[in-house]
Amino acid sequence: MFKIFKFLKDHKLQAVLAPLFKMLEALFELFVPLVVASMIDNGIKIGDLSHTFKMGGVLVALAVVGLTFSVTAQYFSAVAAIGVGRSLRLELFKHIESLSYKEIDKTGASTLITRMTSDVNQVQTGVNMMLRLFLRSPFVVFGAVIMAFTVDVRTALIFCIVLPLLVIVVCGVTYGSLPLYKKVQTKMDRVTLLTRESLVGVRVVRAFNRQKQEMADFGDAAESLRAEQMRVGRLSSFMNPVTLVIVNLGIAAIIYKGGFRVEEGSLTQGQIVALVNYMSQILVELVKLANLIITMTKSVACANRVNDILNLKSSIEFREMVEGKDGNSKSTSTAEISVPRVEFRNVALNYNDSGDNSLDEISFSAMPGDTIGIIGGTGSGKSSLVNLITRFYDATSGEVYVDGKDVKELGKEELRCKIGVVPQKAVLFKGTVAENVRWGKIDASDEEVREALQAAQALGFIEEKEGGINFKLNQGARNLSGGQKQRVTVARALVRHPEILILDDSSSALDYATDAAMRSAIKKYSEGMTVFMVSQRASSIMHADKIIVLDDGRIAGIGTHDELLESCEIYREICHSQMGDNTSKEVAS
């Protein structure tokens, strides 16, 4: 929780003024019992109405001043808490964006969502409560004890017995509930996961008629969360009744002992009322303090969970980008390159130390302007291979070179600006088609957007939509078909004219005719680019300058289509299974 305090640095003034005004309010509150005692002893008891009304006016004045200070303090604490929440969310989102695929895969999307929403909200509430009550409640409690001693030392000794008992109860409940709140948040992760999976996969759930099973699974998770919340709730609820019993016993002791002192003439009736009021103030503040501790316990548990993410270091670190005199990253033109655009040297990849390597002994090179086809069975490592070029993952061993430089020696912008990627799963964002395409090149003109869409065979159906390239896509682009989404994502990669274009099974939802037309258009559009085409279809990559055949993470063959038909049995089997005996290039044209 203390690490979260650094986010208060932009709100230092509010963080100081909020507790200051709360303590000023508490200070005026501590004078109330003395005013009431004076009203009783010097006004009501002797029938002095002037003094009684005078003290009544003082009470009203104290109430007005206290209310003003209280509202001011709550305003400052709210401003500081909301600012901390904003800064924390921004920092958390920024940090998550910096993590590699490895850490995101390991943590899980549902956990990250819970950290960013529920946990941060709880931390924000904790900061708000802390600024308002963390100093005020202890100040009132100890201030009431001190003021009680100014009234009567012998009777005030009861406070010295009551206060330690209350501290023991509060600390005991806090110590016991902290680990339970961590379990509650873990259960919340499970509920968030099931909710997210069910909403994202709602069509699959309904297609397989799994609604009842999904509801049952969600019900079990919700029941487990409820049971854990009930468990921690029972422990937390133990605090208020126990503190009430202790304080009320203290009040009874004050009245009992004070009665004898009044008979002796050592105390007045007003002083007894003042002592009871001070004990009541302690009771009220301890109830507030109990609620504060419960809230802070939740906040500390949530803050620790947020810190776990902030302390998570990315396994991939980029060097600072090399800048030229004009401030732009240095890039080598195609004409200047005499080395392979991309080169793999004995590369191996292992995901999260999961046993067998996903890739092993991968070595090949691709020159500028080459088209490299990558084919293989499911799970053979096709996507893993191209993910190493972009450094979405780092090779476990071996080296990957781009323009003769190890990718680990390149800055993030320097590397990623060279590459255009079409991921295996088409992902588009809410907004217009043009806005989505401009993710590839933020300053692309409408004409450039149309050219990229034309090359991706998407301009035809886009122009038929209302607004053309300004057609609004809804969340997840569900108002486009799967093939249409794939073509728009291809256009997004093409518009930036990258030096390296990676098409990761980007035509899986297209028919053969559209696939062939798109490949032909991309070949003209991508002149000079090094293109990597990952596909399950032999027809999609058979015209490539070089075809890499993967089998169980290893290279089973490298060569042209004709060469592999002669030398690679796995490639030959793939072609025969998809096209029969018609495996010539002319058939696919």
Side-chain angles (χ1 to χ4, degrees):
M1 183 68 183
F2 293 106
K3 293 182 180 179
I4 304 299
F5 289 163
K6 69 179 183 180
F7 294 102
L8 279 170
K9 65 182 180 181
D10 295 329
H11 308 279
K12 293 177 182 177
L13 181 62
Q14 292 90 341
V16 172
L17 291 178
L20 177 62
F21 276 100
K22 270 294 180 181
M23 290 179 69
L24 288 173
E25 177 210 351
L27 183 63
F28 282 96
E29 188 175 323
L30 289 174
F31 289 113
V32 170
L34 296 180
V35 175
V36 172
S38 178
M39 180 186 293
I40 294 172
D41 292 336
N42 301 321
I44 298 174
K45 186 176 180 180
I46 63 177
D48 188 349
L49 291 180
S50 175
H51 186 79
T52 301
F53 284 118
K54 181 181 177 181
M55 290 298 102
V58 172
L59 287 177
V60 171
L62 289 174
V64 171
V65 173
L67 177 62
T68 303
F69 286 155
S70 178
V71 171
T72 305
Q74 293 194 30
Y75 170 78
F76 286 129
S77 64
V79 170
I82 292 171
V84 168
R86 174 190 173 278
S87 300
L88 184 55
R89 286 189 189 90
L90 183 62
E91 180 72 16
L92 190 57
F93 186 81
K94 181 180 177 181
H95 184 71
I96 291 172
E97 287 290 299
S98 73
L99 297 177
S100 71
Y101 280 11
K102 181 178 180 180
E103 286 73 41
I104 294 176
D105 293 342
K106 185 177 181 180
T107 305
S110 62
T111 298
L112 295 176
I113 291 171
T114 304
R115 299 290 198 275
M116 179 129 355
T117 53
S118 175
D119 287 349
V120 173
N121 285 340
Q122 190 62 57
V123 171
Q124 181 176 311
T125 301
V127 171
N128 192 359
M129 294 287 286
M130 180 192 68
L131 293 178
R132 288 165 50 192
L133 299 175
F134 185 70
L135 292 179
R136 182 193 189 283
S137 292
F139 179 79
V140 171
V141 169
F142 289 104
V145 173
I146 294 171
M147 295 299 286
F149 272 93
T150 64
V151 175
D152 183 63
V153 175
R154 290 174 59 184
T155 309
L157 291 174
I158 296 172
F159 286 77
C160 296
I161 300 173
V162 170
L163 194 57
L165 293 176
L166 293 173
V167 171
I168 291 172
V169 172
V170 170
C171 292
V173 172
T174 303
Y175 181 79
S177 58
L178 182 59
L180 296 181
Y181 279 117
K182 291 182 180 180
K183 292 183 180 180
V184 167
Q185 291 303 115
T186 302
K187 300 290 184 182
M188 181 66 75
D189 283 347
R190 173 65 177 166
V191 171
T192 304
L193 172 63
L194 291 176
T195 303
R196 182 176 182 275
E197 286 184 340
S198 296
L199 292 177
V200 173
V202 63
R203 297 185 182 186
V204 177
V205 171
R206 294 180 180 179
F208 287 91
N209 196 29
R210 293 275 297 181
Q211 294 96 317
K212 290 184 178 179
Q213 183 60 46
E214 287 296 305
M215 284 188 286
D217 291 343
F218 184 84
D220 291 341
E223 174 59 26
S224 179
L225 175 61
R226 184 200 67 82
E228 201 65 47
Q229 286 176 326
M230 288 292 292
R231 184 182 175 192
V232 69
R234 281 192 291 266
L235 179 58
S236 299
S237 64
F238 180 73
M239 185 182 296
N240 282 352
V242 173
T243 53
L244 281 171
V245 168
I246 294 173
V247 171
N248 283 319
L249 287 175
I251 291 175
I254 289 174
I255 294 173
Y256 176 77
K257 186 172 182 179
F260 291 108
R261 299 275 291 162
V262 170
E263 287 183 358
E264 296 173 357
S266 302
L267 282 178
T268 65
Q269 293 173 345
Q271 288 175 319
I272 292 295
V273 172
L275 290 170
V276 171
N277 282 341
Y278 282 127
M279 185 64 77
S280 298
Q281 283 184 349
I282 291 176
L283 172 61
V284 172
E285 291 305 319
L286 283 173
V287 170
K288 293 180 182 178
L289 188 60
N291 292 329
L292 171 64
I293 289 172
I294 291 171
T295 301
M296 289 299 297
T297 302
K298 294 179 183 178
S299 299
V300 169
C302 292
N304 289 336
R305 285 158 51 85
V306 172
N307 277 328
D308 288 342
I309 302 300
L310 293 176
N311 291 333
L312 192 62
K313 300 297 182 183
S314 176
S315 58
I316 296 178
E317 294 184 359
F318 287 89
R319 294 185 59 186
E320 292 295 327
M321 185 171 66
V322 179
E323 296 187 351
K325 294 181 180 179
D326 58 355
N328 296 319
S329 59
K330 292 181 179 179
S331 180
T332 310
S333 67
T334 302
E336 296 174 330
I337 295 177
S338 59
V339 295
R341 178 74 79 191
V342 176
E343 184 178 6
F344 279 57
R345 296 182 185 175
N346 199 29
V347 170
L349 174 65
N350 189 294
Y351 289 108
N352 296 321
D353 302 322
S354 57
D356 295 336
N357 289 339
S358 298
L359 294 173
D360 211 0
E361 298 179 4
I362 304 296
S363 296
F364 70 90
S365 61
M367 300 301 292
D370 281 355
T371 298
I372 309 297
I374 302 174
I375 195 169
T378 301
S380 59
K382 303 184 295 296
S383 296
S384 298
L385 188 149
V386 293
N387 282 337
L388 294 176
I389 301 173
T390 55
R391 278 199 85 190
F392 290 155
Y393 296 93
D394 264 344
T396 306
S397 62
E399 297 83 29
V400 179
Y401 290 86
V402 171
D403 292 340
K405 297 180 181 179
D406 193 325
V407 292
K408 295 180 180 179
E409 298 298 318
L410 296 173
K412 182 186 292 186
E413 296 294 327
E414 188 179 5
L415 174 63
R416 300 275 168 83
C417 285
K418 295 174 180 284
I419 303 171
V421 180
V422 183
Q424 195 168 19
K425 180 181 178 182
V427 177
L428 296 172
F429 300 90
K430 187 174 181 179
T432 66
V433 172
E435 287 170 347
N436 274 273
V437 173
R438 288 191 177 103
W439 275 59
K441 184 181 178 184
I442 195 169
D443 58 348
S445 66
D446 287 351
E447 186 59 33
E448 289 177 300
V449 170
R450 288 189 174 90
E451 288 178 1
L453 289 168
Q454 181 64 51
Q457 304 300 296
L459 187 61
F461 73 82
I462 290 297
E463 293 289 2
E464 293 175 359
K465 303 285 187 181
E466 182 181 354
I469 62 173
N470 293 315
F471 173 66
K472 293 281 188 180
L473 303 180
N474 58 21
Q475 186 176 2
R478 295 189 180 276
N479 50 347
L480 296 181
S481 68
Q484 289 172 337
K485 286 193 285 187
Q486 281 192 332
R487 282 177 276 176
V488 174
T489 57
V490 171
R492 182 176 61 194
L494 289 174
V495 75
R496 72 191 306 172
H497 293 279
E499 297 174 7
I500 302 168
L501 177 63
I502 297 175
L503 305 174
D504 189 358
D505 206 9
S506 57
S507 59
S508 59
L510 304 183
D511 59 79
Y512 283 92
T514 305
D515 182 20
M518 187 174 72
R519 282 187 283 109
S520 177
I522 288 176
K523 189 174 182 64
K524 296 176 182 177
Y525 189 90
S526 62
E527 186 175 355
M529 298 182 192
T530 300
V531 181
F532 287 84
M533 300 183 67
V534 177
S535 181
Q536 300 273 13
R537 298 176 181 175
S539 61
S540 296
I541 51 91
M542 61 194 309
H543 290 278
D545 300 307
K546 186 183 295 182
I547 299 171
I548 300 174
V549 183
L550 293 177
D551 180 45
D552 197 22
R554 293 175 177 268
I555 294 179
I558 297 182
T560 63
H561 171 73
D562 292 332
E563 290 171 348
L564 290 172
L565 283 178
E566 295 294 330
S567 62
C568 182
E569 182 179 353
I570 293 175
Y571 184 74
R572 191 162 51 246
E573 288 177 355
I574 292 173
C575 291
H576 282 299
S577 67
Q578 294 180 6
M579 297 179 289
D581 293 330
N582 300 319
T583 57
S584 65
K585 291 184 180 181
E586 288 74 15
V587 173
S589 299

